[in-house]
Amino acid sequence: MTFTVTYAQRDGAGACLRLAGELDVSTAPELNAVLDRLAGQGEHHLLVDLTELTFCDSTGLAAFVRADNRAAARGGWLRVTGATGRVERVLKVTGLAEVLRYPFDTAHPRSQSAS
């Protein structure tokens, strides 16, 4: 399955990313590149929609934690929303569901390609 990352600005309130497919050791570098680019642009509030993510391994989790730590050092955060199935389970088992949980339901902004 193909992995994709798309994102949109959130009206001056950071960026919303959408992940689709499988996030693993072979696709995590693509996510890290987008997260690095957004941080370099001064984005420190990142909402990551996992609704269409079907798999996430430890390298994907590490990307989330790394980006959250970097954002927190600048007064921001990375939060996830929409996790289901195996992705939701791995977030819960690792405790990251509570740490990275986004407490609000949000409308999905129109996305642009992150490539």
Side-chain angles (χ1 to χ4, degrees):
M1 173 169 245
T2 303
F3 175 74
T4 60
V5 181
T6 55
Y7 71 93
Q9 301 306 117
R10 294 182 59 225
D11 297 328
C16 181
L17 291 83
R18 285 190 200 170
L19 308 186
E22 296 185 357
L23 179 57
D24 58 24
V25 68
S26 66
T27 58
E30 183 178 344
L31 175 60
N32 283 322
V34 172
L35 293 169
D36 291 347
R37 185 175 9 182
L38 289 170
Q41 294 171 358
E43 295 291 350
H44 305 301
H45 294 93
L46 305 167
L47 178 60
V48 183
D49 180 353
L50 305 179
T51 304
E52 296 180 37
L53 194 67
T54 59
F55 178 81
C56 182
D57 72 3
S58 62
T59 56
L61 297 178
F64 297 149
V65 170
R66 178 178 160 263
D68 183 49
N69 288 340
R70 179 175 43 205
R74 293 169 178 84
W77 43 258
L78 176 140
R79 295 293 177 260
V80 297
T81 187
T84 60
R86 292 184 289 177
V87 175
E88 180 181 29
R89 179 166 167 73
V90 76
L91 288 169
K92 285 182 177 180
V93 167
T94 61
L96 289 176
E98 287 301 314
V99 174
L100 299 178
R101 181 178 58 89
Y102 187 69
F104 308 106
D105 288 333
T106 61
H108 302 299
R110 204 168 85 214
S111 294
Q112 63 189 36
S113 175
S115 300

